[in-house]
Amino acid sequence: MNVQDEQFMRSALKLAARGVGSVEPNPAVGCLIVKAGQRIGQGYHKKFGGPHAEINALADCRTLGLTPQGATLYVTLEPCCHVGKTGPCTDAVIQAGIARVVAATLDPSAHANGRGLEQLRQAGIAAEVGLCEQEAQHLNAPFFKYVTTGQPWVILKWAQSIDGKLAYAQPSSESRWITNADSRSDAHRLRRRAGAVLVGINTVLADDPLLTPRPSRGHKPIRVVLDGSLRTPLTCRLLRTARTSSVLIYTRQASIDANPQHADQVRRKGAELLACESAGNPQEDTSNLDLSFLLAHLGRCGVQQVLVEGGPRVAASFLRTGQADEVCVYIAPKILGAVGTAGLDEPMASLGSLLALRQVEIKTFGEDVRLSGRLPRETAAP
């Protein structure tokens, strides 16, 4: 492989990134077809259930009136060789007469893991893997974690002022949000990526959120509430919409036993109750709830990404127990001072050691700043 190969693969990675937020729980994949040094087709996986990147790139060739026979196909993930929502991409690549395939990384899924490339080789196609592998795995880190461990990728998201406040002390229609509309729109993009959106009971009591992505584009993540003492109001918007969009309340078995009537009413609203046997102070709604038990349950439900939108205590719980993979913070250029509340300082003081983010990215939305980064692998739950 040479410098030109790398340039073409980086272009394919840029194409793949366009699908983030629309293809989950599938991976984001990009594809570029090159013949005699010229790009003759390109495509990416645009939405869950739709044609894969290779199919779109081959279709692009036909649209341009060009033939891919004898060309090189650059793809950011090993082509699939199984029948899912679409047919095998390997069959289409073989039928198109592609001479060479360069894949950034293998697909570690049980139905793939090198089988796609081997099928191409058996058909006489030169198949190579490993070019820009780290970048490709970074792009689809939630997918890689889920298919190799069965555990969802956990993103902690919050918005704050520059003096570390997460909310106004007295919310009003004029001052409901700290960040601007563009930041909030980007946060909804995170919700569309997630299979579950999680908050603590205090957020439910204070804000009565819906936790749905807007616009939804048909995606409905499971809405999860950490509610150790089972205080979720029957009249809250989450329970009023539980039959149209799933709600999971994670609580203690002792809280269900102490108030079985309320538990039954919650279930009749259409919500699921998940109970753990954790001990601890019954007045504490998030402490001593076994987060690994919850994440394992969500993984079995097919949830690949969990977006944690709870307050500082919820975020600190995920950090303290090593259950978070990524942090995404929206910072508004405001100093709230006495009009702000829910500061980060006290909950985060419970963290026992420094956590330095890696692969940090900074993006602006007007005057707001979004800072995101991955947590070190050793902090992740086993």
Side-chain angles (χ1 to χ4, degrees):
M1 287 186 254
N2 53 41
V3 174
Q4 193 174 42
D5 283 332
E6 183 175 342
Q7 291 174 341
F8 289 139
M9 184 61 77
R10 292 194 181 281
S11 294
L13 285 165
K14 289 180 180 179
L15 287 168
R18 296 183 188 179
V20 173
S22 301
V23 302
E24 289 79 5
N26 282 353
V29 182
C31 181
L32 193 69
I33 301 175
V34 177
K35 190 172 183 178
Q38 301 297 314
R39 305 179 187 207
I40 64 170
Q42 65 179 36
Y44 66 97
H45 187 27
K46 295 182 178 180
K47 65 178 181 178
F48 177 70
H52 289 184
E54 300 94 322
I55 305 304
N56 285 331
L58 290 169
D60 191 39
C61 288
R62 291 192 293 270
T63 299
L64 296 173
L66 303 172
T67 174
Q69 187 170 6
T72 296
L73 183 147
Y74 298 87
V75 63
T76 58
L77 186 71
E78 171 189 7
C80 67
C81 59
H82 68 287
V83 176
K85 288 184 176 295
T86 61
C89 289
T90 50
D91 288 356
V93 171
I94 294 168
Q95 292 168 9
I98 294 291
R100 177 182 177 226
V101 171
V102 180
T105 184
L106 294 178
D107 179 345
S109 303
H111 55 253
N113 204 18
R115 292 182 179 87
L117 293 181
E118 183 57 30
Q119 188 178 101
L120 296 176
R121 293 186 184 109
Q122 290 176 1
I125 297 174
E128 307 163 42
V129 65
L131 182 62
C132 300
E133 182 176 36
Q134 185 175 359
E135 294 92 328
Q137 293 181 358
H138 172 80
L139 178 68
N140 286 304
F143 170 78
F144 278 87
K145 180 184 179 183
Y146 181 75
V147 298
T148 56
T149 69
Q151 294 285 315
W153 181 267
V154 178
I155 304 172
L156 306 184
K157 187 273 289 185
W158 68 82
Q160 68 172 71
S161 62
I162 58 175
D163 57 342
K165 302 297 179 66
L166 275 69
Y168 287 92
Q170 296 180 332
S172 67
S173 58
E174 292 79 18
S175 59
R176 184 177 177 184
W177 295 286
I178 292 176
T179 53
N180 63 31
D182 289 339
S183 291
R184 298 195 298 274
S185 177
D186 186 69
H188 279 284
R189 181 187 61 85
L190 292 180
R191 284 187 181 180
R192 286 192 293 273
R193 285 173 50 187
V197 178
L198 182 150
V199 296
I201 181 59
N202 289 332
T203 297
V204 174
L205 296 175
D207 300 336
D208 193 17
L210 272 174
L211 302 181
T212 53
R214 296 184 289 277
S216 69
R217 296 175 184 169
H219 177 57
K220 294 182 178 180
I222 299 173
R223 298 170 295 168
V224 182
V225 182
L226 298 184
D227 183 6
S229 54
L230 196 55
R231 294 189 292 149
T232 302
L234 297 175
T235 57
C236 72
R237 294 200 294 172
L238 288 174
L239 291 186
R240 294 206 309 267
T241 58
R243 296 198 180 279
T244 58
S245 184
S246 299
V247 173
L248 172 67
I249 297 175
Y250 185 40
T251 188
R252 297 185 179 90
Q253 185 60 50
S255 299
I256 295 176
D257 295 340
N259 197 350
Q261 182 179 6
H262 185 69
D264 288 342
Q265 290 175 316
V266 168
R267 292 190 183 100
R268 285 198 292 271
K269 289 282 188 177
E272 177 187 356
L273 285 178
L274 177 67
C276 68
E277 300 291 344
S278 300
N281 184 349
Q283 300 304 315
E284 291 289 338
D285 289 302
T286 58
S287 66
N288 295 314
L289 283 174
D290 186 348
L291 297 178
S292 61
F293 178 78
L294 170 64
L295 293 175
H297 174 81
L298 292 174
R300 289 191 295 270
C301 292
V303 172
Q304 188 185 103
Q305 295 189 56
V306 177
L307 179 63
V308 178
E309 294 192 2
R313 295 189 184 281
V314 172
S317 293
F318 277 89
L319 290 170
R320 187 171 56 250
T321 56
Q323 302 290 345
D325 298 288
E326 184 177 349
V327 172
C328 185
V329 183
Y330 296 86
I331 305 170
K334 300 174 182 177
I335 299 174
L336 298 189
V339 302
T341 187
L344 290 160
D345 49 354
E346 180 184 347
M348 295 302 179
S350 65
L351 301 181
S353 60
L354 171 71
L355 297 177
L357 298 183
R358 298 175 179 177
Q359 298 168 318
V360 174
E361 297 178 359
I362 297 174
K363 187 172 182 178
T364 58
F365 297 92
E367 295 180 336
D368 291 354
V369 175
R370 185 194 72 198
L371 188 149
S372 59
R374 308 285 172 86
L375 287 157
R377 287 186 180 273
E378 55 267 24
T379 68

